[in-house]
Amino acid sequence: MIKLYNTLAGKKEEFKPLEEGKVRMYVCGLTVQDRPHIGHIRAAVTADILKRYFEYSGYTVTLVTNFTDIDDKIIAKSQETGEDFRKIGSRIIEEYLENSDRLNIKRADYYPEATKHIQEIQEFIVKLIEKGFAYVSEGNVYYDVSKFSGYGKLSGKNLDELRVGARVEPDETKRNPVDFALWKAAKPGEPWWESPWGRGRPGWHIECSAMSMHYLGETFDIHGGGADLIFPHHENEIAQSEGVTGKPFAKYWVHNGFLNLSGEKMSKSIGNVVLVSDILKIYEPDVVRLYLLSTHYRSPMDYYEERLKEQEGGYQRLKQVLFLLSQERGDGGESEKEVIERFREAMDDDFNTPKALSVIYSYTKDIFEIMKENPGRLWIISAKRTLKEMLGVLGLFELEEAEYIKQDEELIELLLNLRSDLREKNLFELSDKIRDGLKKLNIEIEDTQEGSRWKKV
RNA sequence: GGCGGUAUAGCCAAGUGGCUAAGGCGACGGUCUGCAAAACCGUUAUUCACCGGUUCGAGUCCGGUUGCCGCCUCCA
């Protein structure tokens, strides 16, 4: 039984899918105005862990992660640099997906972009106007927040307080300062699309409502994203979607905590960002994953490079134990139920990855100990399977087996070179020892005029 | 000001009322070793921000205080 914290309920709840055996989830990706930083990837890894663990638990998961590729900031950036706004978007999307692949984040099933769903967005707005939730004002369309009685239920805010909040930008064309734009009229020089209300572009929140409904239906299981999206973004999405359908939008709302830098939220506007691309130049992807998973996804995290570096110790340890176990080739066997059980308990409890990692680490300790006593082949294969099963759910060390094979090959080359040197010095007793030793490992050496070759037999 | 979160060892971090407070990193001591690395063993929180309360029993529940963070404006 998986429990997850639902922001809407303010507590952990048992996960019950809307449709047996299936999980439909939508996670807000990024607004593609700037290169992805480590905070963005924390959200992506969080979504990835949910997807992987649900799949491991037998669910079929449909994951949608959007890219908002048109908004004020992107336009501003485009006007500033002269680069076409579409180009900015596609460049950043490319970098994001490349980072994401390197970190072994499973691809979402869909990565919809706002500008490719203008049709759906407009249809959505039309419905909101028809139902009286939205009004047109000088080429803009606004959502009339006062018409939606549930407004504030996600973020725990109430309208009166929001109205008092002076920080909401007053706009003469709005009826009420808290109303938000569904469609924005284009100013001269801005990108636009034709619409029933004149040339313009979608507002910020509408694309997520339109696209999530398009790909996942009117009601789906999980909606997620960073904690800063709770208000106003997700609150507004609820108002839009439930306004149109009259049905609950998402059943569970999952928000990941922030990654702060020097005690402050990592943010483009403050300028204190650490790019994923820069981190990956220095650290192994698995080290970065271990780092992100070492804190529960809802807890805030402070970024310090030393803490990332710290993870290298654990990384080496895990690598070492896998290497030790890889002496027995082959997979299969049974995994150790009791260990897996503890792992699942941790993950069932709102995806508690730090706890899950502690199960892995203490199991690693057991393996080292038992390996000293020459356990049988079956035990080793079972241990390997158990360990890889758990690591796989966390998306760790999935590429290692192939690497070890490569490492073995390099090792054999090293021995052959050593043997050649010995033969040149006529130290045949030692060189034969190498040949006999390798033969026992089913590796045969053939000496040819061009040098030594080897093959597995 | 309102809302939400958080406070556990040198650092990171579990702990969702009950045996001696997980796990990792680091540090120190030891075993092993030609040297080194790895591995292994041991040590490293009488105490969980503070003050009260509930309870046979609280890090865990309740009330209060303080610190830190986030949201309330674009933001993963």
Side-chain angles (χ1 to χ4, degrees), chain A residues 392-406:
Chain A
V393 173
L394 301 181
L396 293 164
F397 295 93
E398 293 198 302
L399 308 169
E400 292 301 296
E401 187 87 16
E403 267 178 39
Y404 289 139
I405 289 167
K406 190 167 158 252

Side-chain angles (χ1 to χ4, degrees), chain A residues 76-85 88:
Chain A
K77 183 153 187 172
S78 164
Q79 287 174 342
E80 198 179 296
T81 62
E83 191 180 4
D84 185 85
F85 79 96
I88 298 175

Side-chain angles (χ1 to χ4, degrees), chain A residues 20 26 32 51 59 70 73 89 96 118 134 137 170 178 205 216 268 293 337 355 374 393-394 404 424 433 436 452:
Chain A
E20 191 62 40
Y26 185 95
V32 290
K51 179 175 166 75
Y59 292 96
I70 180 75
K73 291 228 169 157
Y96 174 84
I118 298 294
S137 174
V178 293
H205 318 289
L216 297 172
K268 293 159 203 164
L293 298 178
K337 283 208 177 65
K355 202 173 179 185
N374 278 318
V393 173
L394 301 181
Y404 289 139
E424 266 173 37
K433 207 167 174 179
D436 295 345
S452 302

Side-chain angles (χ1 to χ4, degrees), chain A residues 202-357:
Chain A
W204 175 33
H205 318 289
I206 191 68
E207 83 283 13
C208 284
S209 283
M211 297 193 296
S212 61
M213 189 180 292
H214 180 72
Y215 290 95
L216 297 172
E218 295 185 338
T219 299
F220 51 93
D221 298 287
I222 297 174
H223 194 130
D228 58 346
L229 295 179
I230 296 171
F231 189 88
H233 187 56
H234 287 163
E235 196 67 63
N236 291 352
E237 279 189 54
I238 291 176
Q240 293 164 348
S241 297
E242 300 193 355
V244 162
T245 66
K247 296 175 191 166
F249 182 34
K251 191 170 176 190
Y252 303 95
W253 289 83
V254 176
H255 293 100
N256 63 275
F258 265 79
L259 215 151
N260 301 321
L261 184 61
S262 31
E264 255 186 320
K265 175 181 164 184
M266 194 178 288
S267 154
K268 293 159 203 164
S269 40
I270 304 173
N272 59 338
V273 297
V274 178
L275 297 180
V276 185
S277 299
D278 288 341
I279 289 178
L280 286 173
K281 278 180 202 155
I282 304 170
Y283 296 96
E284 290 292 324
D286 278 328
V287 172
V288 179
R289 267 190 100 97
L290 276 171
Y291 169 72
L292 292 171
L293 298 178
S294 72
T295 300
H296 184 91
Y297 78 89
R298 278 194 292 118
S299 303
M301 218 176 161
D302 282 305
Y303 177 85
Y304 290 108
E305 192 175 345
E306 308 87 80
R307 295 196 190 132
L308 184 52
K309 203 171 172 59
E310 257 179 22
Q311 295 299 326
E312 284 188 328
Y315 169 75
Q316 288 301 340
R317 192 176 161 80
L318 291 169
K319 203 166 169 179
Q320 188 75 23
V321 77
L322 284 166
F323 184 60
L324 199 62
L325 293 173
S326 70
Q327 64 177 250
E328 286 296 348
R329 292 263 176 262
D331 291 307
E334 296 267 313
S335 46
E336 289 200 34
K337 283 208 177 65
E338 190 259 340
V339 177
I340 294 291
E341 192 46 44
R342 278 192 290 138
F343 176 79
R344 296 188 67 130
E345 257 173 47
M347 292 299 286
D348 277 346
D349 183 14
D350 198 23
F351 306 90
N352 194 333
T353 53
K355 202 173 179 185
L357 280 172

Side-chain angles (χ1 to χ4, degrees), chain A residues 415 431-443:
Chain A
L415 278 171
S431 70
D432 287 351
K433 207 167 174 179
I434 290 173
R435 184 173 58 195
D436 295 345
L438 284 173
K439 176 129 198 199
K440 275 183 193 153
L441 300 170
N442 295 324
I443 291 160

Side-chain angles (χ1 to χ4, degrees), chain A residues 86-182:
Chain A
R86 291 179 195 81
K87 268 201 168 153
I88 298 175
S90 58
R91 180 163 54 78
I92 289 164
I93 290 170
E94 195 183 335
E95 179 171 340
Y96 174 84
L97 291 176
E98 190 195 311
N99 289 160
S100 170
D101 286 345
R102 284 200 59 201
L103 284 163
N104 198 25
I105 291 166
K106 283 196 177 188
R107 286 277 180 132
D109 298 279
Y110 303 97
Y111 287 104
E113 295 162 39
T115 58
K116 297 191 176 135
H117 295 78
I118 298 294
Q119 179 76 22
E120 287 87 348
I121 290 170
Q122 292 190 354
E123 285 166 9
F124 206 104
I125 297 172
V126 167
K127 280 184 205 157
L128 281 172
I129 295 172
E130 280 170 6
K131 298 210 169 191
F133 286 102
Y135 57 93
V136 183
S137 174
E138 296 176 29
N140 299 297
V141 183
Y142 294 106
Y143 190 99
D144 186 344
V145 169
S146 67
K147 296 276 165 55
F148 184 69
S149 61
Y151 198 77
K153 66 180 174 183
L154 182 70
S155 56
K157 300 191 183 302
N158 69 62
L159 272 180
D160 296 337
E161 280 166 11
L162 286 170
R163 285 206 185 87
V164 172
R167 297 171 85 181
V168 178
E169 218 172 294
D171 187 328
E172 321 76 55
T173 64
K174 285 186 196 176
R175 285 183 195 163
N176 191 315
V178 293
D179 290 349
F180 58 90
L182 300 172

